Short mmCIF file of all heavy atoms in Angstrom, two decimals:
data_model
loop_
_atom_site.label_atom_id
_atom_site.label_comp_id
_atom_site.label_asym_id
_atom_site.label_seq_id
_atom_site.Cartn_x
_atom_site.Cartn_y
_atom_site.Cartn_z
N MET A 1 152.14 16.36 -2.25
CA MET A 1 152.62 17.50 -3.01
C MET A 1 151.52 17.90 -3.99
O MET A 1 150.83 17.05 -4.55
CB MET A 1 153.90 17.08 -3.75
CG MET A 1 154.39 18.06 -4.75
SD MET A 1 155.83 17.51 -5.72
CE MET A 1 156.95 16.95 -4.48
N LYS A 2 151.39 19.18 -4.18
CA LYS A 2 150.41 19.67 -5.15
C LYS A 2 150.97 19.51 -6.56
O LYS A 2 152.17 19.46 -6.77
CB LYS A 2 150.10 21.13 -4.87
CG LYS A 2 149.36 21.32 -3.57
CD LYS A 2 148.99 22.76 -3.38
CE LYS A 2 148.24 22.90 -2.06
NZ LYS A 2 147.76 24.25 -1.87
N LYS A 3 150.04 19.42 -7.51
CA LYS A 3 150.44 19.15 -8.90
C LYS A 3 151.36 20.24 -9.47
O LYS A 3 152.28 19.92 -10.22
CB LYS A 3 149.21 18.99 -9.78
CG LYS A 3 149.58 18.48 -11.15
CD LYS A 3 148.40 18.03 -11.95
CE LYS A 3 148.91 17.38 -13.23
NZ LYS A 3 147.86 16.70 -13.95
N ASP A 4 151.14 21.49 -9.10
CA ASP A 4 152.00 22.55 -9.65
C ASP A 4 153.45 22.39 -9.18
O ASP A 4 154.39 22.63 -9.93
CB ASP A 4 151.46 23.94 -9.32
CG ASP A 4 151.43 24.26 -7.84
OD1 ASP A 4 151.12 23.37 -7.04
OD2 ASP A 4 151.71 25.43 -7.49
N ARG A 5 153.65 21.94 -7.95
CA ARG A 5 155.00 21.68 -7.46
C ARG A 5 155.62 20.47 -8.17
O ARG A 5 156.80 20.46 -8.48
CB ARG A 5 155.01 21.46 -5.94
CG ARG A 5 154.68 22.70 -5.16
CD ARG A 5 155.66 23.83 -5.40
NE ARG A 5 157.01 23.44 -5.03
CZ ARG A 5 158.11 24.01 -5.49
NH1 ARG A 5 158.03 25.03 -6.32
NH2 ARG A 5 159.30 23.59 -5.12
N TYR A 6 154.80 19.44 -8.40
CA TYR A 6 155.25 18.27 -9.15
C TYR A 6 155.75 18.69 -10.53
O TYR A 6 156.85 18.31 -10.95
CB TYR A 6 154.09 17.27 -9.26
CG TYR A 6 154.24 16.20 -10.30
CD1 TYR A 6 155.24 15.24 -10.22
CD2 TYR A 6 153.36 16.13 -11.38
CE1 TYR A 6 155.36 14.24 -11.16
CE2 TYR A 6 153.47 15.13 -12.32
CZ TYR A 6 154.47 14.19 -12.22
OH TYR A 6 154.57 13.20 -13.16
N LEU A 7 154.96 19.50 -11.22
CA LEU A 7 155.35 19.96 -12.55
C LEU A 7 156.63 20.80 -12.49
O LEU A 7 157.48 20.71 -13.37
CB LEU A 7 154.22 20.73 -13.20
CG LEU A 7 152.97 19.90 -13.51
CD1 LEU A 7 151.84 20.80 -14.00
CD2 LEU A 7 153.26 18.80 -14.51
N HIS A 8 156.77 21.60 -11.45
CA HIS A 8 157.99 22.40 -11.27
C HIS A 8 159.20 21.48 -11.16
O HIS A 8 160.22 21.70 -11.82
CB HIS A 8 157.86 23.27 -10.01
CG HIS A 8 159.14 23.90 -9.60
ND1 HIS A 8 159.68 24.99 -10.25
CD2 HIS A 8 160.02 23.57 -8.62
CE1 HIS A 8 160.83 25.31 -9.68
NE2 HIS A 8 161.06 24.46 -8.69
N HIS A 9 159.11 20.44 -10.33
CA HIS A 9 160.23 19.50 -10.17
C HIS A 9 160.55 18.81 -11.49
O HIS A 9 161.72 18.62 -11.83
CB HIS A 9 159.91 18.45 -9.10
CG HIS A 9 159.99 18.98 -7.71
ND1 HIS A 9 161.17 19.35 -7.11
CD2 HIS A 9 159.02 19.21 -6.79
CE1 HIS A 9 160.92 19.79 -5.89
NE2 HIS A 9 159.62 19.71 -5.67
N CYS A 10 159.52 18.45 -12.23
CA CYS A 10 159.74 17.79 -13.53
C CYS A 10 160.45 18.71 -14.50
O CYS A 10 161.39 18.29 -15.19
CB CYS A 10 158.40 17.34 -14.11
SG CYS A 10 157.58 16.04 -13.15
N LEU A 11 160.02 19.97 -14.57
CA LEU A 11 160.65 20.92 -15.47
C LEU A 11 162.10 21.20 -15.07
O LEU A 11 162.98 21.31 -15.93
CB LEU A 11 159.85 22.22 -15.52
CG LEU A 11 158.49 22.12 -16.21
CD1 LEU A 11 157.71 23.43 -16.01
CD2 LEU A 11 158.66 21.81 -17.68
N GLU A 12 162.35 21.32 -13.78
CA GLU A 12 163.72 21.54 -13.30
C GLU A 12 164.62 20.37 -13.68
O GLU A 12 165.73 20.57 -14.17
CB GLU A 12 163.73 21.74 -11.78
CG GLU A 12 163.12 23.05 -11.32
CD GLU A 12 163.96 24.24 -11.73
OE1 GLU A 12 165.12 24.34 -11.31
OE2 GLU A 12 163.44 25.08 -12.49
N ALA A 13 164.14 19.15 -13.45
CA ALA A 13 164.94 17.96 -13.77
C ALA A 13 165.18 17.86 -15.27
O ALA A 13 166.29 17.54 -15.71
CB ALA A 13 164.24 16.71 -13.26
N GLU A 14 164.15 18.15 -16.05
CA GLU A 14 164.28 18.10 -17.51
C GLU A 14 165.31 19.11 -18.01
O GLU A 14 166.03 18.86 -18.98
CB GLU A 14 162.92 18.37 -18.16
CG GLU A 14 162.91 18.17 -19.65
CD GLU A 14 161.52 18.36 -20.22
OE1 GLU A 14 160.64 17.55 -19.90
OE2 GLU A 14 161.33 19.32 -20.99
N ALA A 15 165.41 20.25 -17.33
CA ALA A 15 166.37 21.29 -17.72
C ALA A 15 167.77 21.00 -17.21
O ALA A 15 168.70 21.77 -17.46
CB ALA A 15 165.89 22.65 -17.20
N GLY A 16 167.94 19.90 -16.47
CA GLY A 16 169.27 19.53 -15.99
C GLY A 16 169.64 20.13 -14.64
O GLY A 16 170.79 20.05 -14.22
N ARG A 17 168.67 20.73 -13.97
CA ARG A 17 168.93 21.31 -12.65
C ARG A 17 168.58 20.31 -11.55
O ARG A 17 167.65 19.52 -11.70
CB ARG A 17 168.15 22.61 -12.47
CG ARG A 17 168.66 23.72 -13.39
CD ARG A 17 167.97 25.03 -13.12
NE ARG A 17 166.62 25.08 -13.66
CZ ARG A 17 166.32 25.43 -14.90
NH1 ARG A 17 167.29 25.73 -15.76
NH2 ARG A 17 165.08 25.48 -15.30
N ASP A 18 169.31 20.36 -10.45
CA ASP A 18 169.05 19.48 -9.32
C ASP A 18 167.80 19.93 -8.59
O ASP A 18 167.65 21.12 -8.27
CB ASP A 18 170.22 19.48 -8.34
CG ASP A 18 171.46 18.83 -8.92
OD1 ASP A 18 171.37 18.13 -9.95
OD2 ASP A 18 172.53 19.01 -8.32
N THR A 19 166.91 18.99 -8.33
CA THR A 19 165.70 19.26 -7.57
C THR A 19 165.41 18.02 -6.72
O THR A 19 165.61 16.89 -7.17
CB THR A 19 164.53 19.65 -8.50
OG1 THR A 19 163.41 20.03 -7.73
CG2 THR A 19 164.17 18.55 -9.48
N PHE A 20 164.99 18.24 -5.50
CA PHE A 20 164.91 17.15 -4.53
C PHE A 20 163.52 17.01 -3.94
O PHE A 20 162.83 18.00 -3.71
CB PHE A 20 165.90 17.40 -3.39
CG PHE A 20 167.33 17.54 -3.86
CD1 PHE A 20 167.84 18.77 -4.23
CD2 PHE A 20 168.15 16.44 -3.97
CE1 PHE A 20 169.14 18.91 -4.68
CE2 PHE A 20 169.45 16.56 -4.42
CZ PHE A 20 169.95 17.79 -4.77
N VAL A 21 163.12 15.76 -3.68
CA VAL A 21 161.85 15.47 -3.03
C VAL A 21 162.08 14.43 -1.94
O VAL A 21 163.09 13.72 -1.93
CB VAL A 21 160.78 14.96 -4.02
CG1 VAL A 21 160.43 16.03 -5.05
CG2 VAL A 21 161.21 13.68 -4.71
N ALA A 22 161.12 14.35 -1.04
CA ALA A 22 161.16 13.37 0.04
C ALA A 22 159.90 12.52 -0.01
O ALA A 22 158.85 12.97 -0.50
CB ALA A 22 161.27 14.07 1.38
N HIS A 23 160.00 11.31 0.49
CA HIS A 23 158.87 10.39 0.58
C HIS A 23 158.69 10.08 2.07
O HIS A 23 159.38 9.23 2.63
CB HIS A 23 159.17 9.11 -0.22
CG HIS A 23 157.99 8.27 -0.45
ND1 HIS A 23 157.72 7.16 0.30
CD2 HIS A 23 157.00 8.36 -1.37
CE1 HIS A 23 156.61 6.59 -0.14
NE2 HIS A 23 156.15 7.32 -1.15
N PRO A 24 157.78 10.81 2.72
CA PRO A 24 157.66 10.73 4.19
C PRO A 24 157.39 9.32 4.73
O PRO A 24 157.93 8.96 5.78
CB PRO A 24 156.50 11.67 4.51
CG PRO A 24 156.46 12.62 3.37
CD PRO A 24 156.89 11.82 2.18
N SER A 25 156.59 8.52 4.05
CA SER A 25 156.26 7.21 4.62
C SER A 25 157.44 6.25 4.64
O SER A 25 157.54 5.39 5.51
CB SER A 25 155.06 6.58 3.90
OG SER A 25 155.37 6.32 2.56
N THR A 26 158.39 6.41 3.69
CA THR A 26 159.58 5.55 3.69
C THR A 26 160.79 6.26 4.29
O THR A 26 161.85 5.66 4.41
CB THR A 26 159.93 5.09 2.26
OG1 THR A 26 160.24 6.24 1.47
CG2 THR A 26 158.81 4.29 1.63
N LYS A 27 160.62 7.55 4.59
CA LYS A 27 161.70 8.38 5.13
C LYS A 27 162.92 8.45 4.21
O LYS A 27 164.05 8.55 4.65
CB LYS A 27 162.10 7.91 6.52
CG LYS A 27 160.97 8.04 7.53
CD LYS A 27 161.40 7.61 8.89
CE LYS A 27 160.40 7.98 9.92
NZ LYS A 27 159.32 7.12 10.18
N GLU A 28 162.65 8.38 2.91
CA GLU A 28 163.73 8.50 1.92
C GLU A 28 163.63 9.85 1.25
O GLU A 28 162.58 10.47 1.22
CB GLU A 28 163.59 7.41 0.86
CG GLU A 28 163.87 6.02 1.34
CD GLU A 28 163.75 5.01 0.22
OE1 GLU A 28 162.63 4.84 -0.30
OE2 GLU A 28 164.77 4.39 -0.12
N GLU A 29 164.74 10.27 0.69
CA GLU A 29 164.76 11.48 -0.12
C GLU A 29 165.69 11.23 -1.30
O GLU A 29 166.52 10.34 -1.27
CB GLU A 29 165.20 12.68 0.69
CG GLU A 29 166.53 12.51 1.40
CD GLU A 29 166.83 13.64 2.35
OE1 GLU A 29 165.99 13.96 3.19
OE2 GLU A 29 167.93 14.20 2.22
N GLY A 30 165.49 12.03 -2.34
CA GLY A 30 166.33 11.83 -3.51
C GLY A 30 166.25 12.97 -4.49
O GLY A 30 165.42 13.87 -4.38
N ILE A 31 167.12 12.88 -5.47
CA ILE A 31 167.16 13.86 -6.55
C ILE A 31 166.26 13.35 -7.67
O ILE A 31 166.28 12.17 -8.01
CB ILE A 31 168.61 14.09 -7.02
CG1 ILE A 31 168.67 15.21 -8.04
CG2 ILE A 31 169.24 12.82 -7.54
CD1 ILE A 31 170.08 15.68 -8.36
N VAL A 32 165.45 14.24 -8.21
CA VAL A 32 164.54 13.87 -9.29
C VAL A 32 165.36 13.67 -10.57
O VAL A 32 166.10 14.54 -10.98
CB VAL A 32 163.46 14.95 -9.50
CG1 VAL A 32 162.55 14.59 -10.67
CG2 VAL A 32 162.65 15.15 -8.23
N VAL A 33 165.21 12.48 -11.18
CA VAL A 33 165.93 12.22 -12.43
C VAL A 33 164.99 12.22 -13.63
O VAL A 33 165.43 12.50 -14.75
CB VAL A 33 166.75 10.91 -12.38
CG1 VAL A 33 167.89 11.04 -11.40
CG2 VAL A 33 165.90 9.72 -12.03
N GLU A 34 163.73 11.92 -13.41
CA GLU A 34 162.74 12.01 -14.48
C GLU A 34 161.34 11.92 -13.90
O GLU A 34 161.16 11.58 -12.74
CB GLU A 34 162.96 10.93 -15.55
CG GLU A 34 162.74 9.52 -15.07
CD GLU A 34 162.98 8.50 -16.17
OE1 GLU A 34 162.07 8.30 -16.98
OE2 GLU A 34 164.08 7.92 -16.19
N CYS A 35 160.36 12.24 -14.74
CA CYS A 35 158.96 12.18 -14.34
C CYS A 35 158.15 11.46 -15.41
O CYS A 35 158.51 11.49 -16.59
CB CYS A 35 158.39 13.57 -14.19
SG CYS A 35 159.14 14.56 -12.91
N SER A 36 157.08 10.86 -14.99
CA SER A 36 156.10 10.30 -15.92
C SER A 36 154.82 11.11 -15.75
O SER A 36 154.05 10.87 -14.81
CB SER A 36 155.84 8.82 -15.62
OG SER A 36 154.80 8.34 -16.45
N LEU A 37 154.64 12.09 -16.62
CA LEU A 37 153.49 12.97 -16.50
C LEU A 37 152.18 12.21 -16.68
O LEU A 37 151.18 12.54 -16.05
CB LEU A 37 153.59 14.11 -17.51
CG LEU A 37 154.78 15.06 -17.30
CD1 LEU A 37 154.84 16.08 -18.42
CD2 LEU A 37 154.71 15.73 -15.95
N LYS A 38 152.21 11.18 -17.49
CA LYS A 38 150.99 10.41 -17.76
C LYS A 38 150.52 9.67 -16.50
O LYS A 38 149.33 9.65 -16.18
CB LYS A 38 151.24 9.42 -18.89
CG LYS A 38 150.00 8.68 -19.34
CD LYS A 38 150.27 7.83 -20.55
CE LYS A 38 148.99 7.16 -21.01
NZ LYS A 38 149.21 6.37 -22.22
N SER A 39 151.45 9.08 -15.76
CA SER A 39 151.06 8.30 -14.59
C SER A 39 151.18 9.09 -13.28
O SER A 39 150.68 8.65 -12.24
CB SER A 39 151.93 7.04 -14.48
OG SER A 39 153.28 7.38 -14.20
N GLY A 40 151.86 10.23 -13.31
CA GLY A 40 152.02 11.04 -12.11
C GLY A 40 153.08 10.52 -11.17
O GLY A 40 152.97 10.67 -9.96
N HIS A 41 154.12 9.93 -11.73
CA HIS A 41 155.20 9.39 -10.91
C HIS A 41 156.49 10.19 -11.07
O HIS A 41 156.76 10.75 -12.13
CB HIS A 41 155.46 7.92 -11.26
CG HIS A 41 154.40 7.02 -10.76
ND1 HIS A 41 153.34 6.64 -11.55
CD2 HIS A 41 154.21 6.44 -9.55
CE1 HIS A 41 152.54 5.85 -10.85
NE2 HIS A 41 153.05 5.72 -9.63
N ILE A 42 157.25 10.20 -10.00
CA ILE A 42 158.57 10.83 -9.97
C ILE A 42 159.60 9.72 -9.81
O ILE A 42 159.47 8.89 -8.91
CB ILE A 42 158.70 11.81 -8.79
CG1 ILE A 42 157.67 12.93 -8.91
CG2 ILE A 42 160.10 12.39 -8.72
CD1 ILE A 42 157.65 13.87 -7.72
N ILE A 43 160.60 9.71 -10.67
CA ILE A 43 161.72 8.78 -10.53
C ILE A 43 162.85 9.54 -9.86
O ILE A 43 163.26 10.60 -10.35
CB ILE A 43 162.20 8.24 -11.90
CG1 ILE A 43 161.05 7.79 -12.80
CG2 ILE A 43 163.25 7.15 -11.70
CD1 ILE A 43 160.13 6.77 -12.23
N VAL A 44 163.31 9.02 -8.74
CA VAL A 44 164.38 9.69 -8.00
C VAL A 44 165.56 8.74 -7.81
O VAL A 44 165.41 7.52 -7.90
CB VAL A 44 163.91 10.19 -6.61
CG1 VAL A 44 162.75 11.15 -6.74
CG2 VAL A 44 163.58 9.05 -5.70
N GLU A 45 166.72 9.34 -7.58
CA GLU A 45 167.89 8.57 -7.18
C GLU A 45 168.23 8.98 -5.75
O GLU A 45 168.41 10.15 -5.45
CB GLU A 45 169.07 8.83 -8.10
CG GLU A 45 170.26 7.95 -7.76
CD GLU A 45 171.39 8.06 -8.75
OE1 GLU A 45 171.14 8.31 -9.93
OE2 GLU A 45 172.54 7.89 -8.32
N THR A 46 168.29 8.00 -4.87
CA THR A 46 168.59 8.26 -3.47
C THR A 46 170.10 8.44 -3.28
O THR A 46 170.88 8.15 -4.19
CB THR A 46 168.08 7.12 -2.58
OG1 THR A 46 168.78 5.92 -2.92
CG2 THR A 46 166.58 6.93 -2.73
N SER A 47 170.48 8.86 -2.09
CA SER A 47 171.91 9.11 -1.83
C SER A 47 172.74 7.83 -1.89
O SER A 47 173.95 7.88 -2.09
CB SER A 47 172.09 9.79 -0.48
OG SER A 47 171.57 8.97 0.55
N ASP A 48 172.09 6.66 -1.73
CA ASP A 48 172.82 5.38 -1.86
C ASP A 48 172.69 4.81 -3.28
O ASP A 48 172.89 3.63 -3.49
CB ASP A 48 172.40 4.39 -0.78
CG ASP A 48 170.91 4.18 -0.71
OD1 ASP A 48 170.16 4.85 -1.45
OD2 ASP A 48 170.47 3.36 0.11
N HIS A 49 172.34 5.68 -4.23
CA HIS A 49 172.31 5.38 -5.66
C HIS A 49 171.26 4.35 -6.06
O HIS A 49 171.43 3.64 -7.06
CB HIS A 49 173.70 4.95 -6.16
CG HIS A 49 174.75 5.96 -5.86
ND1 HIS A 49 174.84 7.16 -6.52
CD2 HIS A 49 175.73 5.97 -4.94
CE1 HIS A 49 175.84 7.86 -6.03
NE2 HIS A 49 176.40 7.16 -5.05
N LEU A 50 170.17 4.28 -5.30
CA LEU A 50 169.04 3.43 -5.67
C LEU A 50 168.00 4.28 -6.37
O LEU A 50 167.79 5.44 -6.03
CB LEU A 50 168.43 2.77 -4.43
CG LEU A 50 169.36 1.85 -3.65
CD1 LEU A 50 168.67 1.38 -2.37
CD2 LEU A 50 169.76 0.65 -4.49
N ARG A 51 167.36 3.71 -7.36
CA ARG A 51 166.28 4.41 -8.06
C ARG A 51 164.94 4.02 -7.44
O ARG A 51 164.69 2.84 -7.18
CB ARG A 51 166.28 4.07 -9.55
CG ARG A 51 167.49 4.65 -10.25
CD ARG A 51 167.08 5.50 -11.38
NE ARG A 51 168.26 6.19 -11.88
CZ ARG A 51 168.27 6.82 -13.03
NH1 ARG A 51 167.20 6.83 -13.78
NH2 ARG A 51 169.34 7.45 -13.41
N ARG A 52 164.12 5.02 -7.22
CA ARG A 52 162.80 4.81 -6.66
C ARG A 52 161.77 5.50 -7.56
O ARG A 52 162.05 6.51 -8.19
CB ARG A 52 162.68 5.40 -5.25
CG ARG A 52 163.66 4.83 -4.25
CD ARG A 52 163.19 3.47 -3.78
NE ARG A 52 163.95 3.05 -2.63
CZ ARG A 52 164.66 1.93 -2.61
NH1 ARG A 52 164.69 1.13 -3.67
NH2 ARG A 52 165.32 1.58 -1.53
N CYS A 53 160.57 4.93 -7.59
CA CYS A 53 159.46 5.51 -8.34
C CYS A 53 158.34 5.80 -7.35
O CYS A 53 157.81 4.88 -6.71
CB CYS A 53 159.00 4.52 -9.42
SG CYS A 53 157.61 5.13 -10.39
N TRP A 54 157.99 7.08 -7.20
CA TRP A 54 157.00 7.50 -6.23
C TRP A 54 155.87 8.28 -6.90
O TRP A 54 156.10 9.04 -7.84
CB TRP A 54 157.62 8.40 -5.17
CG TRP A 54 158.72 7.78 -4.36
CD1 TRP A 54 158.84 6.48 -4.00
CD2 TRP A 54 159.85 8.43 -3.81
NE1 TRP A 54 159.96 6.28 -3.24
CE2 TRP A 54 160.61 7.47 -3.10
CE3 TRP A 54 160.30 9.75 -3.81
CZ2 TRP A 54 161.78 7.78 -2.43
CZ3 TRP A 54 161.47 10.05 -3.14
CH2 TRP A 54 162.20 9.08 -2.45
N ASP A 55 154.67 8.10 -6.39
CA ASP A 55 153.53 8.91 -6.80
C ASP A 55 153.75 10.31 -6.24
O ASP A 55 154.06 10.46 -5.06
CB ASP A 55 152.25 8.29 -6.25
CG ASP A 55 151.00 8.98 -6.76
OD1 ASP A 55 150.86 10.21 -6.53
OD2 ASP A 55 150.17 8.31 -7.40
N TYR A 56 153.58 11.32 -7.08
CA TYR A 56 153.88 12.68 -6.62
C TYR A 56 153.00 13.11 -5.45
O TYR A 56 153.40 13.91 -4.62
CB TYR A 56 153.80 13.68 -7.77
CG TYR A 56 152.40 14.15 -8.13
CD1 TYR A 56 151.83 15.24 -7.47
CD2 TYR A 56 151.66 13.53 -9.13
CE1 TYR A 56 150.56 15.68 -7.80
CE2 TYR A 56 150.41 13.96 -9.46
CZ TYR A 56 149.85 15.04 -8.79
OH TYR A 56 148.58 15.47 -9.11
N ARG A 57 151.80 12.56 -5.34
CA ARG A 57 150.89 12.94 -4.26
C ARG A 57 151.39 12.46 -2.90
O ARG A 57 150.95 12.94 -1.86
CB ARG A 57 149.49 12.42 -4.54
CG ARG A 57 148.83 13.12 -5.75
CD ARG A 57 147.51 12.51 -6.12
NE ARG A 57 147.62 11.25 -6.84
CZ ARG A 57 147.81 11.12 -8.14
NH1 ARG A 57 147.91 12.18 -8.89
NH2 ARG A 57 147.89 9.94 -8.71
N GLU A 58 152.33 11.49 -2.90
CA GLU A 58 152.89 10.97 -1.65
C GLU A 58 154.20 11.66 -1.27
O GLU A 58 154.78 11.32 -0.25
CB GLU A 58 153.13 9.46 -1.79
CG GLU A 58 151.87 8.67 -2.02
CD GLU A 58 152.15 7.20 -2.31
OE1 GLU A 58 153.33 6.83 -2.45
OE2 GLU A 58 151.18 6.44 -2.43
N CYS A 59 154.66 12.58 -2.09
CA CYS A 59 155.96 13.23 -1.88
C CYS A 59 155.81 14.63 -1.30
O CYS A 59 154.74 15.23 -1.37
CB CYS A 59 156.71 13.34 -3.20
SG CYS A 59 157.16 11.75 -3.91
N THR A 60 156.90 15.12 -0.76
CA THR A 60 156.97 16.50 -0.29
C THR A 60 158.21 17.15 -0.89
O THR A 60 159.17 16.49 -1.27
CB THR A 60 157.06 16.56 1.25
OG1 THR A 60 158.22 15.85 1.68
CG2 THR A 60 155.82 15.98 1.90
N ASP A 61 158.16 18.48 -0.96
CA ASP A 61 159.33 19.23 -1.41
C ASP A 61 160.44 19.06 -0.39
O ASP A 61 160.19 18.97 0.80
CB ASP A 61 159.00 20.72 -1.51
CG ASP A 61 158.11 21.05 -2.68
OD1 ASP A 61 158.41 20.60 -3.78
OD2 ASP A 61 157.10 21.75 -2.47
N LEU A 62 161.64 19.04 -0.89
CA LEU A 62 162.80 18.96 -0.01
C LEU A 62 163.69 20.14 -0.32
O LEU A 62 164.25 20.24 -1.41
CB LEU A 62 163.56 17.65 -0.23
CG LEU A 62 164.76 17.42 0.66
CD1 LEU A 62 164.35 17.33 2.12
CD2 LEU A 62 165.47 16.14 0.25
N ASP A 63 163.79 21.05 0.62
CA ASP A 63 164.68 22.19 0.46
C ASP A 63 166.07 21.72 0.80
O ASP A 63 166.36 21.41 1.96
CB ASP A 63 164.27 23.35 1.36
CG ASP A 63 162.93 23.94 0.94
OD1 ASP A 63 162.65 23.95 -0.27
OD2 ASP A 63 162.17 24.37 1.82
N HIS A 64 166.91 21.63 -0.20
CA HIS A 64 168.26 21.14 -0.01
C HIS A 64 169.20 22.33 -0.07
O HIS A 64 169.28 23.01 -1.07
CB HIS A 64 168.59 20.13 -1.12
CG HIS A 64 169.51 19.06 -0.68
ND1 HIS A 64 170.86 19.24 -0.56
CD2 HIS A 64 169.28 17.79 -0.33
CE1 HIS A 64 171.41 18.12 -0.15
NE2 HIS A 64 170.46 17.22 0.00
N THR A 65 169.88 22.57 1.03
CA THR A 65 170.74 23.74 1.10
C THR A 65 172.06 23.56 0.36
O THR A 65 172.73 24.51 0.02
CB THR A 65 171.04 24.11 2.56
OG1 THR A 65 171.63 22.99 3.19
CG2 THR A 65 169.78 24.51 3.29
N LYS A 66 172.41 22.31 0.09
CA LYS A 66 173.66 22.04 -0.61
C LYS A 66 173.45 22.16 -2.11
O LYS A 66 172.46 21.68 -2.65
CB LYS A 66 174.15 20.64 -0.28
CG LYS A 66 175.42 20.29 -0.98
CD LYS A 66 175.87 18.90 -0.66
CE LYS A 66 177.12 18.58 -1.45
NZ LYS A 66 177.51 17.23 -1.38
N PHE A 67 174.39 22.80 -2.79
CA PHE A 67 174.32 22.91 -4.24
C PHE A 67 175.16 21.79 -4.85
O PHE A 67 176.15 21.37 -4.27
CB PHE A 67 174.82 24.28 -4.71
CG PHE A 67 173.89 25.38 -4.31
CD1 PHE A 67 174.13 26.12 -3.18
CD2 PHE A 67 172.76 25.65 -5.07
CE1 PHE A 67 173.28 27.14 -2.80
CE2 PHE A 67 171.90 26.66 -4.69
CZ PHE A 67 172.15 27.41 -3.56
N GLY A 68 174.75 21.32 -6.00
CA GLY A 68 175.48 20.24 -6.67
C GLY A 68 174.90 18.90 -6.33
O GLY A 68 173.87 18.79 -5.69
N PRO A 69 175.55 17.84 -6.75
CA PRO A 69 175.01 16.50 -6.55
C PRO A 69 175.04 16.06 -5.09
O PRO A 69 175.86 16.51 -4.31
CB PRO A 69 175.95 15.61 -7.37
CG PRO A 69 177.12 16.43 -7.72
CD PRO A 69 176.77 17.88 -7.50
N MET A 70 174.06 15.22 -4.74
CA MET A 70 174.04 14.67 -3.39
C MET A 70 175.17 13.67 -3.25
O MET A 70 175.48 12.94 -4.17
CB MET A 70 172.72 13.93 -3.14
CG MET A 70 171.57 14.84 -2.94
SD MET A 70 170.00 14.06 -2.52
CE MET A 70 170.22 12.33 -2.59
N ILE A 71 175.77 13.60 -2.10
CA ILE A 71 176.83 12.64 -1.85
C ILE A 71 176.39 11.70 -0.75
O ILE A 71 175.78 12.03 0.17
CB ILE A 71 178.15 13.34 -1.48
CG1 ILE A 71 178.60 14.18 -2.65
CG2 ILE A 71 179.20 12.35 -1.07
CD1 ILE A 71 179.84 15.00 -2.40
#
């Protein structure tokens, strides 16, 4: 993911809006819950309620057609 998209996801999550990313190598996806701008990591919660920490450069945007929380 490019840095501008990473920053977009961080700002959306900080504003309380749902934003989603995927981690292709682990085939996981999740909702962004916070970001660490200093280290370049995205903290996500997966659909099975596990928290993951991913480097933004390893993530891709996830266009989620469903509105509201992931179930």
Side-chain angles (χ1 to χ4, degrees):
M1 170 185 310
K2 292 184 179 184
K3 190 167 187 170
D4 64 322
R5 292 300 300 158
Y6 164 65
L7 294 173
H8 169 76
H9 286 291
C10 294
L11 290 172
E12 289 292 298
E14 187 176 294
R17 292 185 284 274
D18 292 345
T19 186
F20 302 89
V21 296
H23 194 261
S25 64
T26 62
K27 297 182 169 86
E28 291 181 296
E29 55 188 52
I31 186 169
V32 177
V33 293
E34 65 181 279
C35 297
S36 175
L37 296 176
K38 186 174 182 177
S39 67
H41 287 94
I42 299 175
I43 313 305
V44 302
E45 185 173 330
T46 63
S47 60
D48 53 357
H49 304 288
L50 298 174
R51 291 236 171 167
R52 300 282 192 239
C53 179
W54 299 327
D55 186 300
Y56 81 87
R57 292 174 284 276
E58 298 173 354
C59 295
T60 59
D61 288 311
L62 182 63
D63 293 326
H64 212 282
T65 57
K66 179 181 177 189
F67 292 97
M70 286 184 355
I71 297 176

